[in-house]
Amino acid sequence: MSKDFFRNRNAEAGFATRAIHLGYDPASENGALTPPIYQTSTYAFETVEQGAAYFAGTQPGYVYGRTRNPTQALLEERIASLEGAEAALALSSGMAAISATCWTLLKAGDRVLADKILYGNSYALLSRGLEKFGINAEFLDFTNPQEVERAAETPFRFAYFETPANPNLRLIDIAAISAIARKSGAFTIVDNTFATPVLQRPVRHGADLVIHSATKYLGGHGDLLAGVVAGREDLVKDIRAQGLRYMTGGTISPLTAFLVLRGLKTLELRILQHAKSAEAIAGFLAEQPGVSSVSYPGLAQGAARGVYERQMRGGGGLVSFEIDGGIERGRRFMNGLKLVSRAVSLGDAETLIQHPASMTHALYSAEERARHGISDGLIRLSVGLETTEDLLDDIATALRSA
Ligand code: 7XF
């Protein structure tokens, strides 16, 4: 499909069409249907003057592989389009994306507001990591915008949160928090890893930057690590020029960029299937007498229901729950699973189960977990793409024998 398809249409092409075709014309690469992997670390300049102009940015051109590669550039163009963002930057992991963003936007003396419930290493970076450099992070309950509004009376640089949040899947109102931040002259950064742009586009609700661990659904096959930051062009440009170029060097490899591009082609299909199975499993768990609580965005109640309806178009592939009998019975249940794999990470074709308190959130101290509301009995299930009935069978059998 030629680039003219995108240029000539008045309406934007659909999500899946853009995920498969945007920004690539096979005619420009000998008719190759699949975009090539530019396996190169550096680029030859025709003249010294041309090289100098590329470095100065007065002429567009590739210079050196740490900051940009054509395979990476195509990935960035597609993700920006899918998120409805002005620009995107791909990096070597989700943590590379988050740290490059922090090192670029923050300086000593700055203050950051963050939700209490974050992926363990994001929490460790914002609390213990930034503290070493004289930056203070305050952790609030972002499900209560009044609490954020009160904290916003003192200047802060950005508001940072995940929605749905890792690991308990609670939802945060992106538009409400963005409005508070904007009024205070602060940015809003949303980690959209769990929803993906198929289900939620934070930029549309006022976020300035969107973070992804592309290791998860964007890659989708459990075979790579990658990260993304998308959003305002001026910010993304600075994060590439500073946070990536000389503060982290967290470059995505050309092969990894290619694999994420391959993952994007089936992103919408996969997410809708993950969500279909996850909804069935969440419904099943909610009916079991030995299951004390189930959290699934698609089943959100009360105020969270409104947030869900305003900003998401599906519940996604994760389910978190607690079973009666505490962590001991939880361990027996997890060890009894035959099809479901005991593993951290999420968003893969394989269904994965893990125990946040001892795994993904072990960097929160026991006291911090208690204070922030991360229960020691919580179990997080990333529902994969296996046949739904097989997953239900495995879970039912393990629950019975626990
Ligand atoms: O550096 P990574 O690609 O692993 O991404 C970090 C990251 C950032 N944001 C969110 C919401 C995440 O969940 C992650 C990684 N989480 C995995 C998990 O929760 O299973 C990591 C396994 S320890």
Side-chain angles (χ1 to χ4, degrees), residues 71-114:
T71 312
Q72 172 190 355
L74 180 60
L75 171 63
E76 291 170 350
E77 187 179 350
R78 285 200 183 154
I79 289 181
S81 167
L82 300 179
E83 279 289 356
E86 290 172 2
L89 170 64
L91 301 98
S92 57
S93 71
M95 287 316 300
I98 299 166
S99 58
T101 299
C102 286
W103 303 141
T104 304
L105 298 184
L106 297 171
K107 61 177 185 331
D110 276 349
R111 176 169 175 258
V112 167
L113 302 182

Side-chain angles (χ1 to χ4, degrees), residues 92-98 118-122 160 162-167 191-194 211-216 224-228 318 343-346 352 354 359-361 380 382:
S92 57
S93 71
M95 287 316 300
I98 299 166
L118 297 174
Y119 163 53
N121 284 296
S122 302
Y160 187 97
E162 301 168 358
T163 182
N166 187 357
D191 186 326
N192 199 31
T193 298
F194 279 23
I211 299 274
H212 279 280
S213 167
T215 313
K216 311 293 155 43
L224 59 87
L225 280 106
V228 167
L318 287 143
V344 295
S345 205
L346 57 113
L352 309 177
Q354 67 108 7
M359 297 175 183
T360 54
H361 291 69
R380 191 192 76 191
S382 167

Side-chain angles (χ1 to χ4, degrees), residues 187-391:
F187 303 121
T188 300
I189 305 177
V190 178
D191 186 326
N192 199 31
T193 298
F194 279 23
T196 84
V198 175
L199 304 178
Q200 173 175 278
R201 286 163 220 161
V203 168
R204 180 183 293 174
H205 303 283
D208 298 288
L209 290 172
V210 176
I211 299 274
H212 279 280
S213 167
T215 313
K216 311 293 155 43
Y217 292 107
L218 302 189
H221 295 78
D223 52 10
L224 59 87
L225 280 106
V228 167
V229 51
R232 272 174 48 175
E233 192 165 20
D234 56 333
L235 299 180
V236 171
K237 191 169 169 221
D238 286 348
I239 297 165
R240 189 192 304 276
Q242 299 166 33
L244 171 61
R245 184 179 182 183
Y246 59 73
M247 298 183 101
T248 67
T251 305
I252 189 169
S253 77
L255 174 61
T256 302
F258 168 84
L259 289 170
V260 181
L261 279 166
R262 186 164 73 165
L264 288 185
K265 292 185 188 186
T266 55
L267 180 65
E268 185 173 41
L269 259 182
R270 286 186 287 108
I271 292 293
L272 298 178
Q273 180 57 35
H274 282 295
K276 214 166 130 191
S277 271
E279 198 179 322
I281 291 170
F284 167 80
L285 287 170
E287 285 169 3
Q288 302 313 301
V291 174
S292 47
S293 74
V294 178
S295 175
Y296 181 67
L299 300 176
Q301 307 281 325
R305 186 81 217 162
V307 176
Y308 173 78
E309 278 165 9
R310 281 197 297 281
Q311 68 190 34
M312 293 187 80
R313 77 157 174 115
L318 287 143
V319 182
S320 292
F321 58 100
E322 289 185 73
I323 64 178
D324 293 339
I327 189 56
E328 261 323 303
R329 184 156 174 266
R331 263 190 211 116
R332 284 201 300 278
F333 162 70
M334 288 175 70
N335 286 333
L337 291 160
K338 299 271 189 298
L339 174 58
V340 176
S341 302
R342 287 157 293 274
V344 295
S345 205
L346 57 113
D348 299 345
E350 294 79 3
T351 297
L352 309 177
I353 197 159
Q354 67 108 7
H355 176 229
S358 65
M359 297 175 183
T360 54
H361 291 69
L363 278 173
Y364 279 79
S365 67
E367 187 270 323
E368 285 169 327
R369 282 197 303 277
R371 187 152 40 87
H372 291 224
I374 299 171
S375 151
D376 279 354
L378 195 72
I379 295 169
R380 191 192 76 191
L381 182 72
S382 167
V383 178
L385 298 173
E386 300 94 338
T387 307
T388 312
E389 288 68 31
D390 294 337
L391 294 170

